[in-house]
Amino acid sequence: MYGTGAIGQHGPMPVLTHDEAQTRAQLLDVRRYSVELDLTTGETFESRTVIGFTARAAGDTFVELKPATLRSATLDGRHLDPERLDGNRLPLTGLTEGEHELRIDATMHYSRTGEGMHRFTDPADGETYVYTQLFLDDVQRVFAAFDQPDLKAVFALTVTAPDGWTVLANGVTTHHGDGRWTAAPTPRIPTYLVAVAAGPWHSVRTEHRGLPFGIHCRRSLARHLDEDADEILDITRQCYDRYHEKFEEPYPFDSYDQAFVPEFNAGAMENPGLVTFRDEFVYRSAVTDTERQTRAMVIAHEMAHMWFGDLVTLRWWDDIWLNESFAEYMGYQTLTEATRFTDTWTDFGIGRKSWGYDADQRPSTHPVAPDPDKVPDTASALLNFDGISYAKGASALRQLVAWLGEKDFLAGINTHFARHRFGNATLVDFLDSLAEATDRDVHTWAAAWLRTTGVDTLTRGSPPKPAPGASTSTATAAARTA
Ligand SMILES: [Zn+2]
């Protein structure tokens, strides 16, 4: 995710707690979702989901869904009463140890708030577009899911769309005629990263090192996207190549699409293989080079998440700062190394870091890495999307790289990717991976920099004997966290 905006409005539905997530992750191993979406039915859409999962023991749990109408639900062929849907939770009781199949058939609402399946009709030409934003816990607005980041699974999507539409998804999509599209099944990814974008997109497609690349926008912006297509794709190629020099793990997905979508709340979202950007990044008039740099920075930031966030995913939302700080640090650094934007850290110092200083001097400040107890549920995780999580965290990581040396830092990162690929990891796992690559005590570093709050004050060690008549106060200077 990049930037801030009105992210997440939580209604009266219960939010998932960390305790509930841990209990469910111990009970379940989720293998595969087969999801069928029908986008041709008018003011709502149809959603059919088959979830294959294993219970490690006998027990009770629940699956999340926020339907307009829950038509039917079956567990291993046994009918479940749709009336038992309580808020967004359908109880699954009396599970036996072993494999299960849950089938859910529902009618769903489109969204006008950018959460779930957002639907937009372009006033310029009357064309309609839909796209998903499922971050945090909004997948349940589109299909039934065990909606937490550490229950990763394979997702196989089928979408029926109106004539003349193109369907984009995490995996490469294929049109079978009659408006029916399938997406290649994903590797194991978390529920919050599933993505679909459908509509009469204007697309520019190419290939880089054997991988399909595409950029997309609504038709009424086609001319403006075409004007900047070379620049956007050049930045994409340069960052892609540079990340492959830094990271041993190759790009983990089968395609790289970047869709510039209308009415997007955030700056961008790192869905594997289908990054979504607010379409204000398709510039419609003359812009400054700083604005071009900002767009390039967001491209680099989201691509960093393909490894950090998408390949290796946080276990719970207390580590969202690490996800964002890593992408922020890596995005700025990679842009500086690989593109014509060589002075990005100046922009960071002026544009982003002051955001961190400001947040860190308020009573509401918090450690870069919050105590997991301070993130008891999904709703509280959103409160940490601030200048501490992005700017101070990225500053701390930059300081860490300077202290360890880039070679050891990257060796630690590559250990981390290899060890947790297509899985989940915590801050402690990250530090353990780094510790293997260096003699320095990264755990103590983390305690000093990540678990504390506030800017530092540098004080002169022993004040000189004051000259007659001079002030006796000790000189102090507020110093900024690195
Ligand atoms: Zn991000």
Side-chain angles (χ1 to χ4, degrees):
M1 182 103 86
Y2 186 83
T4 56
I7 304 167
Q9 313 272 319
H10 286 272
M13 300 275 182
V15 291
L16 188 71
T17 68
H18 190 195
D19 284 348
E20 289 172 331
Q22 285 178 309
T23 301
R24 192 162 61 175
Q26 280 167 9
L27 181 65
L28 300 186
D29 177 23
V30 185
R31 294 189 307 276
R32 185 183 174 99
Y33 291 74
S34 299
V35 180
E36 284 181 42
L37 303 175
D38 186 345
L39 306 176
T40 63
T41 57
E43 294 306 302
T44 53
F45 64 96
E46 298 302 301
S47 169
R48 279 177 290 276
T49 312
V50 181
I51 312 177
F53 65 96
T54 304
R56 295 195 183 93
D60 302 333
T61 189
F62 56 91
V63 68
E64 289 105 321
L65 183 69
K66 294 179 178 172
T69 310
L70 175 55
R71 293 180 187 288
S72 72
T74 61
L75 181 63
D76 306 321
R78 179 166 54 89
H79 177 73
L80 302 178
D81 183 0
E83 292 293 316
R84 293 184 65 208
L85 183 71
D86 181 12
N88 62 335
R89 294 182 178 189
L90 183 67
L92 305 175
T93 50
L95 282 178
T96 52
E97 184 181 339
E99 296 192 1
H100 296 280
E101 185 184 84
L102 177 67
R103 288 177 175 263
I104 303 274
D105 188 348
T107 301
M108 309 298 289
H109 291 296
Y110 288 107
S111 153
R112 289 291 301 142
T113 62
E115 302 156 298
M117 182 78 81
H118 186 80
R119 187 166 186 247
F120 167 84
T121 298
D122 193 340
D125 56 13
E127 297 284 5
T128 295
Y129 301 83
V130 301
Y131 64 87
T132 55
Q133 169 66 7
L134 306 187
F135 175 73
L136 207 71
D137 60 352
D138 280 333
V139 72
Q140 47 194 286
R141 293 171 187 270
V142 177
F143 58 87
F146 298 111
D147 198 3
Q148 63 186 70
D150 59 346
L151 286 176
K152 291 175 115 170
V154 169
F155 291 84
L157 263 66
T158 301
V159 178
T160 305
D163 283 348
W165 282 25
T166 301
V167 176
L168 307 169
N170 301 99
V172 170
T173 56
T174 307
H175 188 206
H176 302 278
D178 297 335
R180 197 170 147 272
W181 297 70
T182 53
T186 65
R188 284 166 55 82
I189 61 172
T191 49
Y192 80 92
L193 290 175
V194 174
V196 176
W201 302 110
H202 171 70
S203 299
V204 179
R205 295 179 187 272
T206 182
E207 209 176 84
H208 182 61
R209 298 183 185 275
L211 197 80
F213 275 15
I215 55 176
H216 316 270
C217 72
R218 56 186 149 119
R219 276 186 188 173
S220 63
L221 299 179
R223 180 169 60 90
H224 305 297
L225 187 71
D226 287 348
E227 280 168 5
D228 278 358
D230 285 347
E231 178 176 321
I232 292 167
L233 289 168
D234 276 348
I235 298 289
T236 305
R237 284 187 281 260
Q238 287 165 335
C239 291
Y240 185 89
D241 290 349
R242 188 73 187 107
Y243 285 133
H244 281 87
E245 291 164 11
K246 290 171 184 273
F247 304 150
E248 290 162 8
E249 190 72 30
Y251 174 76
F253 308 105
D254 70 359
S255 52
Y256 200 67
D257 283 296
Q258 298 176 98
F260 295 85
V261 298
E263 299 184 326
F264 196 58
N265 286 330
M269 182 67 205
E270 67 269 21
N271 311 301
L274 178 54
V275 178
T276 42
F277 296 78
R278 58 169 46 223
D279 72 9
E280 285 79 359
F281 282 126
V282 179
Y283 300 132
R284 293 138 220 206
S285 59
V287 293
T288 63
D289 215 39
T290 302
E291 287 171 279
R292 293 186 181 281
Q293 177 174 298
T294 299
R295 180 173 66 191
M297 169 46 212
V298 179
I299 290 170
H301 174 115
E302 300 309 325
M303 197 186 288
H305 277 309
M306 295 299 126
W307 285 264
F308 208 97
D310 296 7
L311 175 67
V312 180
T313 304
L314 44 75
R315 187 163 291 289
W316 180 245
W317 301 109
D318 57 331
D319 281 326
I320 192 75
W321 75 271
L322 182 59
N323 201 26
E324 291 310 333
S325 296
F326 184 91
E328 184 94 339
Y329 164 76
M330 204 50 87
Y332 275 99
Q333 183 63 27
T334 300
L335 207 61
T336 294
E337 294 170 6
T339 73
R340 72 181 177 88
F341 299 108
T342 55
D343 200 20
T344 54
W345 285 112
T346 305
D347 179 57
F348 179 82
I350 295 168
R352 299 292 270 183
K353 217 169 165 184
S354 57
W355 184 29
Y357 295 147
D358 186 66
D360 208 11
Q361 292 175 79
R362 291 171 182 271
S364 55
T365 188
H366 56 86
V368 170
D371 189 312
D373 294 346
K374 296 273 166 51
V375 190
D377 56 41
T378 50
S380 53
L382 282 174
L383 300 177
N384 285 331
F385 258 82
D386 62 8
I388 306 283
S389 288
Y390 282 81
K392 186 182 176 186
S395 298
L397 277 188
R398 192 182 179 206
Q399 179 215 39
L400 176 67
V401 177
W403 184 57
L404 296 180
E406 194 185 31
K407 188 167 153 285
D408 288 354
F409 177 73
L410 288 177
I413 293 300
N414 281 316
T415 297
H416 189 65
F417 291 157
R419 194 174 281 171
H420 304 289
R421 62 196 299 273
F422 300 112
N424 296 84
T426 64
L427 171 61
V428 172
D429 296 326
F430 177 75
L431 294 172
D432 287 348
S433 297
L434 288 178
E436 288 185 20
T438 178
D439 294 335
R440 304 207 167 199
D441 184 353
V442 292
H443 292 90
T444 301
W445 174 87
W449 289 91
L450 303 180
R451 298 290 192 189
T452 60
T453 61
V455 298
D456 285 351
T457 300
L458 294 184
T459 306
R460 200 161 60 191
S462 49
K465 201 172 172 186
S471 161
T472 54
S473 66
T474 302
T476 58
R480 303 307 194 181
T481 45

